[in-house]
Amino acid sequence: MISPTPVTVLRGVGGAVAERLRALGVESIADLLFLLPLRYEDRTRIVPLGVLHPGQRAAVEGEIRLTEIAFRGRRQLLCRIEDGTGFLTLRFFHFSAEQQRSLARGSRLRCFGEVRRGPTGLEIVHPEYRRIDGAAAPVTDHLTPVYPATEGLTQGRLRQLVGAALDRVPALEVEDLLPPALLAAETMPSLAEALRYVHRPPPDAPIDALIARRHPAQRRLAFEELLAHHLSLKRLRRRIQREAGWTLPVRDDLKQRLLASLPFRLTAAQDRALGEIEADLARPVPMLRLVQGDVGCGKTLVAALAACRAIEAGAQIALMAPTELLADQHARNFRRWFEPLGAPVALLAGRPSARARRETLAAVRGGDARIAIGTHALFQEGVEFAALAVAIVDEQHRFGVHQRLSLREKGAAGDRRPHQLIMTATPIPRTLAMTAYADLDVSVIDELPPGRTAVRTVVLADSRRDQVVLRIREACRGGRQAYWVCPLIDESEEMPFQAAEETAAALAAALPEIRVGLIHGRMAGTAKEQTMRRFQHGEIQLLVATTVIEVGVDVPNATLMVIENAERMGLAQLHQLRGRVGRGAHASSCVLLYRGPLAPLARERLAVLRTTNDGFEVARRDLALRGPGELLGTRQTGLAQLRVADLARDADLLPRVQVAAERLLDRWPERIEPLLARWIGGAERYGRVG
Ligand code: ADP
Ligand code: MG
């Protein structure tokens, strides 16, 4: 692997500066070059003072007429400049005696800053400035980039460092790895051209396109970055397909017995997904399959049925869930399904006693536990499997690529790797899936079990809580149950569990005849489980919760979901929460409470939920409304750590990225390694684990 040139080769970059650059994710020259400006300032033109207007960010020039210290509330330095067309005040609240001296009457200054209306006309507070005594100093010949800020590094210093890095171009680190033939097909600039353009755009560059990062120069970089990530995943996939897996023979007794014990039949979509999984399991290479299906479509059961193959073959399965609550719920379901069939289930979650933990680990290691269910605790140290044939990850958007691959590693036996099944309710558009999950095959469950009625969603102002309390009373009187979710109100304001505690107390007072329970992330695991079980059994009628119940929780008798401060939450998260109801045959509803007044965008977003129950549609509209969306979570894929590209904004590049990846693999495979080194670098996460 080519090691990238560190920034410390640049003159004047020592330990301290390198440390500060690291805060921006910059360690190599290439990183520095890929640190894109957030915006640009036009300092190529000196604006006459007479035509300035408030709000304008401008470069100006003038002669100092007066410099004085004033006391207007606080001590400040005022400096008045003039250029024959008008005058301007420069105002400094922080200044040194030296600075005061240097701003002597008669000197000429060139300044840059935002013009605003002051008490005596237009002014700039704390302008950047320099004296230009003597001959007319040239103005810059390109737009001035503004980089993401970091403590201890001024914009001036950053500009200078990037400039120094640019001056090394073309150097090895920015060698064009995309063959001209490929670029020509894409009509894209070369890498060096693109980098020069984004750091030093000409005065007439389209600033709006640059700020929106839609300029061809930026798209060139985004394209290359997406290509690198896509190739990394593809390579991982190829590697995995060369590994040995478990060939699980088709003997469907267990599956038939499990199916026979269920009070319902599989939906056609469940059946189809299961068929695809089973075909994978019968092959000698490890499966890597993603099952996508909206909340409530019955993914758990599909996972359980897939597990039958491994259990029948004498091997084990592991099921990893993102929360203790969900792990516990899965354990209860799997025990109900499998223990009558003679397959013991072990639960690894929370903080069990040392003895219980030892026993559980021994059962997993010895192979007695045929099914191991847990949180990320499953791949912690000390957990060893006797014969792990299938690793299942539920709600995978909550895990990183790394974590799901770790579970695979955990199950490595000799050179045999377990099959992996990944489940998610986060629907992502197909092109996105093909890139973000280039290492996976995808099955879609696009059907809900019969008899479900669509959840009716209403959007209400917080001031109408009384009305909501009445709805809760009504639901509980009719034998149903309800959730009341209190998300984080304001990070500085209050801890979410306090908000939940207070809400629970207030609701208990308002609804004395109703059994109110409380659940939040700060409670011990066992307390959480107990509360959840009591809710499951109907002992608790109204469950007040933080977003700990967001994923997976399944209590079909609950028909009312109230979400406070809905305007603060992402659409995907709201859709997940709403998915906690509408799981039984009874009509369900969801009340989205907002603290008014609602901004137009917030109103539009909530309206999306009001008008559709379809997770794919929610995701699509979210993408359109928000631009860079929550869609992929932050850790779901390595793609979430993109530097230049944005999956939403640059989604239209994805099909071309896929084509380019194929061509590169076919014709220029030697370019792949340096491409990955450049964009993914030391953190070549997927490759390393795979
Ligand atoms: P999700 O896909 O959101 O994980 P679950 O697996 O939690 O959904 O299933 C939701 C509910 O639907 C559960 O109560 C489950 O028992 C039930 N269910 C699953 N499959 C079917 C089916 N084919 N017919 C009826 N109910 C089903
Ligand atoms: Mg689920």
Side-chain angles (χ1 to χ4, degrees):
M1 166 100 48
I2 304 146
S3 62
T5 317
V7 275
T8 45
V9 304
L10 295 177
R11 193 204 301 252
V13 179
V17 174
E19 192 55 47
R20 285 170 191 151
L21 284 171
R22 209 179 337 259
L24 291 171
V26 171
E27 299 192 14
S28 66
I29 297 284
D31 293 342
L32 196 53
L33 290 169
F34 295 137
L35 181 70
L36 294 202
L38 297 174
R39 54 192 177 82
Y40 298 87
E41 288 171 346
D42 185 356
R43 303 180 184 201
T44 63
R45 288 178 311 129
I46 302 294
V47 182
L49 297 180
V51 303
L52 286 178
H53 54 83
Q56 188 176 5
R57 295 178 65 81
V60 297
E61 211 175 284
E63 185 179 319
I64 299 180
R65 281 295 138 131
L66 174 75
T67 296
E68 62 175 0
I69 295 205
F71 293 89
R72 292 215 179 81
R74 57 196 274 211
R75 188 165 173 269
Q76 47 196 269
L77 182 70
L78 300 178
C79 173
R80 169 174 284 221
I81 61 169
E82 197 192 58
D83 70 350
T85 70
F87 67 86
L88 177 75
T89 302
L90 311 177
R91 190 185 296 275
F92 299 87
F93 294 105
H94 310 281
F95 57 95
S96 62
E98 167 54 29
Q99 205 174 357
Q100 187 186 347
R101 261 192 308 280
S102 77
L103 294 173
R105 183 187 157 102
S107 302
R108 286 190 67 76
L109 290 185
R110 182 171 294 161
C111 317
F112 184 86
E114 184 174 335
V115 178
R116 59 169 219 185
R117 211 184 296 282
T120 59
L122 296 182
E123 61 178 37
I124 298 181
V125 177
H126 285 283
E128 287 174 46
Y129 71 92
R130 67 190 168 97
R131 281 173 46 173
I132 45 164
D133 302 328
V139 289
T140 49
D141 60 356
H142 54 82
L143 300 180
T144 304
V146 178
Y147 295 98
T150 188
E151 185 105 22
L153 273 182
T154 62
Q155 286 294 329
R157 187 86 171 97
L158 271 171
R159 276 174 209 138
Q160 184 223 330
L161 290 172
V162 174
L166 269 184
D167 291 338
R168 294 171 57 98
V169 174
L172 186 61
E173 50 268 7
V174 287
E175 182 196 356
D176 226 314
L177 296 169
L178 304 190
L182 203 76
L183 284 179
E186 290 291 333
T187 55
M188 285 190 180
S190 74
L191 182 60
E193 279 167 337
L195 287 172
R196 284 225 171 75
Y197 196 96
V198 299
H199 292 292
R200 292 174 180 164
D204 59 351
I207 288 202
D208 290 344
L210 281 172
I211 290 176
R213 300 216 169 159
R214 288 183 182 281
H215 189 276
Q218 291 155 320
R219 301 260 290 170
R220 160 69 172 78
L221 302 177
F223 181 83
E224 187 175 317
E225 181 174 39
L226 290 170
L227 182 61
H229 281 269
H230 184 64
L231 281 166
S232 172
L233 288 166
K234 274 187 99 75
R235 211 170 57 155
L236 169 64
R237 180 188 173 86
R238 288 192 175 187
R239 205 172 290 178
I240 286 172
Q241 288 189 325
R242 283 198 301 267
E243 292 170 345
W246 293 74
T247 312
L248 300 173
V250 186
R251 271 189 35 211
D252 281 339
D253 305 354
L254 200 61
K255 175 178 150 190
Q256 295 311 338
R257 282 162 66 199
L258 176 51
L259 280 173
S261 74
L262 296 173
F264 47 71
R265 294 174 46 188
L266 292 188
T267 63
Q270 281 173 316
D271 207 33
R272 193 177 57 234
L274 184 62
E276 289 164 357
I277 296 165
E278 288 177 336
D280 288 348
L281 295 179
R283 294 173 52 220
V285 292
M287 165 175 77
L288 260 181
R289 183 170 287 277
L290 176 75
V291 174
Q292 258 189 53
D294 210 347
V295 280
C297 72
K299 294 183 289 292
T300 318
L301 186 60
V302 170
L305 291 164
C308 291
R309 280 277 169 91
I311 295 166
E312 269 179 331
Q316 293 170 299
I317 74 135
L319 169 58
M320 180 164 79
T323 62
E324 282 176 27
L325 271 184
L326 191 48
D328 185 61
Q329 178 182 291
H330 282 330
R332 271 179 282 139
N333 280 329
F334 277 67
R335 281 185 177 131
R336 183 159 50 84
W337 290 329
F338 284 102
E339 289 186 344
L341 305 177
V345 176
L347 175 64
L348 274 161
R351 266 170 254 114
S353 70
R355 196 170 135 229
R357 184 176 149 83
R358 242 192 341 267
E359 284 173 7
T360 310
L361 290 179
V364 175
R365 190 177 326 114
D368 294 337
R370 309 302 294 282
I371 298 168
I373 295 178
T375 55
H376 56 279
L378 269 181
F379 59 78
Q380 274 160 7
E381 236 174 292
V383 185
E384 281 168 46
F385 291 89
L388 181 62
V390 183
I392 305 172
V393 181
D394 192 18
E395 303 292 352
Q396 94 100 17
H397 61 286
R398 293 297 205 87
F399 294 104
V401 185
H402 199 74
Q403 280 168 309
R404 71 168 152 89
L405 293 174
S406 302
L407 186 58
R408 264 186 91 244
E409 280 311 285
K410 193 97 230 172
D415 46 6
R416 224 157 38 155
R417 296 287 187 286
H419 295 289
Q420 191 161 108
L421 180 62
I422 290 152
M423 303 191 289
T424 184
T426 310
I428 58 175
R430 191 178 146 73
T431 47
L432 211 55
M434 282 179 67
T435 312
Y437 298 124
D439 59 330
L440 304 174
D441 293 305
V442 180
S443 294
V444 178
I445 304 183
D446 53 4
E447 183 183 357
L448 293 178
R452 301 267 173 93
T453 54
V455 178
R456 218 174 77 83
T457 303
V458 295
V459 178
L460 277 186
D462 199 44
S463 53
R464 290 162 72 185
R465 281 169 104 95
D466 289 353
Q467 215 171 309
V468 183
V469 168
L470 288 180
R471 277 175 177 248
I472 295 175
R473 177 169 286 147
E474 221 170 278
C476 294
R477 238 183 229 153
R480 306 280 82 79
Q481 290 162 279
Y483 296 96
W484 183 295
V485 177
C486 312
L488 199 63
I489 295 176
D490 180 352
E491 289 178 46
S492 59
E493 203 174 283
E494 236 178 338
M495 298 299 290
F497 68 92
Q498 284 171 350
E501 266 164 15
E502 282 161 24
T503 305
L507 287 169
L511 296 162
E513 78 280 17
I514 284 173
R515 296 181 300 276
V516 179
L518 171 66
I519 193 162
H520 58 67
R522 287 289 181 93
M523 286 162 55
T526 44
K528 265 190 293 201
E529 282 152 28
Q530 265 164 18
T531 306
M532 208 57 229
R533 276 175 213 211
R534 289 177 51 215
F535 187 60
Q536 190 109 46
H537 294 145
E539 292 158 30
I540 291 172
Q541 296 166 285
L542 169 63
L543 185 63
V544 178
T546 56
T547 49
V548 289
I549 58 147
E550 180 183 334
V551 288
V553 169
D554 182 43
V555 179
N557 192 46
T559 57
L560 176 60
M561 165 64 71
V562 182
I563 307 172
E564 270 194 274
N565 287 104
E567 78 282 6
R568 303 276 183 97
M569 300 172 75
L571 287 190
Q573 193 179 18
L574 288 170
H575 180 67
Q576 277 281 342
L577 280 169
R578 172 170 66 178
R580 297 311 117 220
V581 297
R583 298 184 150 243
H586 301 284
S588 293
S589 53
C590 173
V591 179
L592 303 175
L593 286 176
Y594 63 89
R595 248 191 228 178
L598 268 188
L601 181 61
R603 184 177 301 279
E604 209 177 327
R605 294 179 59 234
L606 295 182
V608 169
L609 289 167
R610 196 159 44 74
T611 49
T612 182
N613 271 298
D614 174 348
F616 273 89
E617 180 63 14
V618 170
R620 207 182 54 71
R621 308 258 299 261
D622 198 16
L623 197 62
L625 280 177
R626 288 168 67 94
E630 294 265 284
L631 207 56
L632 283 170
T634 45
R635 302 185 306 163
Q636 185 173 13
T637 67
L639 289 176
Q641 288 131 39
L642 296 169
R643 295 191 249 177
V644 175
D646 177 291
L647 283 178
R649 183 188 60 221
D650 301 317
D652 60 317
L653 290 177
L654 296 175
R656 285 149 62 189
V657 164
Q658 285 157 19
V659 173
E662 292 297 339
R663 293 189 63 196
L664 220 54
L665 281 163
D666 272 357
R667 295 185 49 195
W668 300 280
E670 71 287 354
R671 304 213 177 197
I672 291 172
E673 191 69 21
L675 201 59
L676 298 194
R678 170 182 294 165
W679 288 99
I680 305 173
E684 220 231 284
R685 315 167 267 272
Y686 334 119
R688 197 180 59 222
V689 182

